[in-house]
DNA sequence: TTGTAGGCGTTATCAT
DNA sequence: ATGATAACGCCTACAA
């Protein structure tokens, strides 16, 4: 390993000059600076981050905690975080909490001391756990809000409203809304959106269905309940759920969008993947990750301790093939097998 | 920040005793150990990794470089890496190289000095670049082989053979194989598999199609060429490509699997997502990531410098709805519009 | 069994 | 403008 000492020896200066020449070039004579630079290049000197971090009391690393890396939602957020962090000179420790709040708490505790700050995607964790995390490290929440903790999230209420508005415009008179995990933050924001839509449109019937897993299987399970409500359109909790819905419907011979329209949420890459691309509520997920890094970087700037900012990113509707005009006749419930 | 000094003061011992009590409990009197432990717990002491790393000359962190985190293939590998690394006490820096070999080289160079080793998913990088990386750090390759560098990969040739065997068993007489990126390692292994299958089955016609992007759009673009060959079955480079194929075929009114069978590759979670779940060649992607960590951890164990091991994981076929008996009649090429 | 002391590589302070 | 030195927190010979 090449150290400042090696560079100093080759350049014929002291280690302090080397350090300065590299960190604050203007405080060193041009000729000296050039010699140091040359020596450093020749030797392939790279500062040891552990050492400078030890000295400076920071690590230049941040931690990102997500519930599931295989969920395309978090994959995109991670991608955004990663790109912006690189630009900001921060390394990113990524950990997958396996959708387990306990594991997540452990990870936060072990990650906190070895990073300058944490980015948390914690849809299920309760407020107390999040506050505890915020007490251990600088924390920025992603798609979650807790009083006093900086956060970036999507305007889910508005997104939900947009989706319902869209379905109403297509002539749907009854819309089923499939719920996500009960205690999840975005589930509650979505409920706000439903409430607002219900208040605005008295010609529209919105039926909320109980909690289903925010994965393909959840949608698969919710499909029958959705159809049984007599709704001609279904709003899923996310894109994966929407795909599960479509699949179960197809299995029952119910066509999307001819018989039933389906709307997803998040516009993850899977929305455009299926044979019938999903109409969905879009959020800039990479942008969300990038913004979270910006917030954290601000917090880390020495002397900065601003009031916990809350950024709310807009939601917009992306119309694709999975929604169409409401059918003239309701889908008949298939006869119960004898 | 709580340091050994704080713990030592509270426990009424010296810092070396604290260090020992925590690292080598058996070398400290039981009573002393208990007092130290109590003090450490009370204060919430956590060793500073920068400091111990500096001292020990290692970081206890590894780097994982992937071309695209949003690609479900790498998402799964990352998940596997992450879980096993946690178990091994290693933190993981994850970086996304955005499918750019130059960026990837930069990332490797900047990651190498701040980690104990690197896990590289570099399908496109040429051998020289990989060897250069291996010169800068301990490296384990994932799904790639380069002489002298430890690696974990899938038996693509066998997987390809299995897929073709399956299609032949269904009565398909002509199979189109869609190529992935030309210079990719797995593309060449797959070509080996095709060669072997061709040798084995003289009643089978295998048509290889040129390079297409290993994404949905690549499959979408390859579909027409595949149909034009008169093949009744298509083997895609990966699951995403297979989904793109299905979608374009559906757009042309060609049904999967009734008219054309489609086989994916990798069994990423998207394979089970579509309305017509994909028959695909399965590899344990998380296991691959986990194995890569094991290999790297072995390499890191002091004194160990084994001959670069190469682990080849088996490929197996998962049959789902996207493959069926060959149709009696070939799909007629739709008449060219006047 | 326990304590003392030195050094890992860097940077900041203080002299020169 | 440059150099000597101390200190960040930890670990470990070595001494007691």
């Amino acid at each position: 390993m090449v150290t400042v000492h090696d560079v100093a020896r080759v350049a014929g200066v002291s280690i302090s000059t080397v350090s300065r020449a590299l960190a604050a070039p203007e405080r060193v004579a041009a000729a000296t600076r050039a010699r140091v630079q040359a020596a450093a290049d020749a030797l392939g000197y790279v500062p040891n981050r552990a050492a400078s971090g030890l000295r400076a009391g920071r690590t230049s690393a941040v931690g990102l905690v997500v519930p599931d890396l295989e969920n395309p939602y978090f994959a995109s957020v991670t991608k955004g975080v990663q790109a912006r962090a690189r630009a900001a000179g921060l390394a990113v420790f990524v950990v997958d909490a396996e959708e387990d709040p306990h594991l997540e708490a452990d990870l936060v505790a072990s990650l906190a001391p070895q990073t300058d700050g944490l980015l948390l995607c914690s849809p299920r964790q309760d407020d107390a756990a999040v506050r505890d995390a915020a007490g251990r490290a600088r924390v920025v929440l992603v798609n979650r809000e807790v009083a006093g903790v900086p956060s970036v999230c999507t305007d889910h209420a508005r997104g939900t409203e947009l989706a319902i508005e869209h379905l109403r415009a297509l002539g749907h008179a009854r819309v089923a809304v499939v719920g996500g995990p009960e205690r999840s933050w975005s589930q509650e924001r979505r409920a706000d959106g439903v409430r607002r839509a219900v208040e605005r449109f008295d010609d529209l019937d919105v039926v909320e269905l109980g909690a289903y897993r925010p994965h393909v299987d959840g949608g698969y399970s919710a499909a029958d309940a959705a159809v049984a409500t007599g709704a001609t359109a279904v709003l899923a909790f996310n894109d994966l759920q929407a795909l599960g819905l479509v699949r179960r419907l197809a299995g029952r011979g119910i066509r999307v969008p001819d018989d039933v329209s389906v709307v997803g949420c998040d516009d993850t890459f899977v929305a455009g993947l299926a044979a019938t691309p999903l109409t969905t509520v879009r959020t800039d997920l990479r942008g969300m990750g990038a913004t979270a890094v910006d917030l954290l970087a601000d917090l880390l700037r020495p002397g900065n301790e601003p009031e916990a900012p809350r950024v709310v990113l807009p939601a917009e509707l992306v119309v694709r093939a999975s929604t169409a005009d409401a059918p003239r006749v309701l889908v008949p419930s298939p006869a119960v097998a004898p």
Side-chain angles (χ1 to χ4, degrees), chain A:
Chain A
M1 156 167 270
V2 183
T3 76
V4 275
H5 291 91
D6 303 315
V7 178
R9 188 159 13 79
V10 171
V13 295
S14 75
I15 60 165
S16 353
T17 302
V18 172
S19 181
R20 259 190 306 253
L22 299 172
E26 74 282 359
R27 301 187 44 188
V28 161
T32 319
R33 189 194 316 153
R35 257 186 312 143
V36 171
Q37 196 51 260
D41 291 345
L43 297 173
Y45 169 74
V46 181
N48 178 322
R49 293 177 82 117
S52 70
L54 176 57
R55 180 61 234 242
R58 43 168 190 61
T59 63
S60 292
V62 299
L64 170 64
V65 183
V66 298
D68 178 16
L69 277 165
E70 283 173 350
N71 182 322
Y73 183 95
F74 301 110
S76 288
V77 170
T78 303
K79 186 148 179 151
V81 163
Q82 197 277 322
R84 184 63 58 94
R86 171 153 35 87
L90 295 167
V92 184
F93 287 121
V94 178
V95 297
D96 183 317
E98 295 171 15
E99 303 198 329
D100 174 351
H102 299 291
L103 175 56
E104 180 173 326
D106 286 353
L107 290 171
V108 165
S110 76
L111 219 44
Q114 58 178 308
T115 57
D116 294 344
L118 258 33
L119 268 15
L120 255 43
C121 299
S122 298
R124 322 293 248 298
Q125 208 72 274
D126 62 28
D127 284 12
V130 171
R131 262 191 279 271
D132 176 73
R136 297 172 178 275
R138 312 227 177 207
V139 164
V140 173
L141 300 176
V142 178
N143 204 31
R144 171 75 185 262
E145 289 181 317
V146 170
V149 185
S151 60
V152 193
C153 61
T154 301
D155 189 346
H156 283 291
R158 180 75 188 129
T160 304
E161 220 182 332
L162 284 170
I164 294 177
E165 224 173 282
H166 166 66
L167 293 169
R168 176 170 169 275
L170 287 169
H172 294 274
R174 176 171 295 178
V175 174
V177 177
V178 181
E182 256 179 73
R183 305 169 20 132
S184 93
W185 176 84
S186 49
Q187 170 60 18
E188 309 202 351
R189 296 294 77 66
R190 144 163 316 196
D192 296 341
V194 168
R195 215 164 297 133
R196 263 152 53 180
V198 166
E199 277 168 24
R200 279 176 57 198
F201 309 122
D202 52 9
D203 55 349
L204 191 72
D205 211 11
V206 179
V207 186
E208 292 184 79
L209 300 175
Y212 289 89
R213 280 177 32 94
H215 297 284
V216 181
D217 57 356
Y220 198 86
S221 309
D224 300 327
V227 170
T229 65
T232 55
V234 188
L235 174 55
F237 182 72
N238 64 18
D239 295 331
L240 290 172
Q241 227 192 37
L243 291 172
L245 274 161
V246 171
R247 201 159 132 200
R248 173 63 180 172
L249 293 174
R252 289 184 57 186
I254 301 171
R255 295 161 304 165
V256 174
D258 311 70
D259 302 323
V260 168
S261 288
V262 171
V263 179
C265 190
D266 301 335
D267 197 27
T268 51
F269 73 87
V270 297
L273 221 66
T276 306
L278 290 175
T279 292
T280 187
V281 177
R282 207 184 105 74
T283 299
D284 179 5
L285 298 179
R286 294 192 201 171
M288 195 150 93
T291 306
V293 173
D294 287 342
L295 252 46
L296 185 52
D298 269 354
L299 250 47
L300 295 180
R301 241 177 285 291
N304 261 14
E305 186 78 52
E307 293 311 291
R310 288 188 183 199
V311 177
V312 178
L313 299 177
E316 63 192 83
L317 190 74
V318 181
V319 177
R320 299 207 185 89
S322 71
T323 48
D325 288 338
R328 296 288 160 75
V329 215
L330 291 192
V331 179
S333 262
V336 176

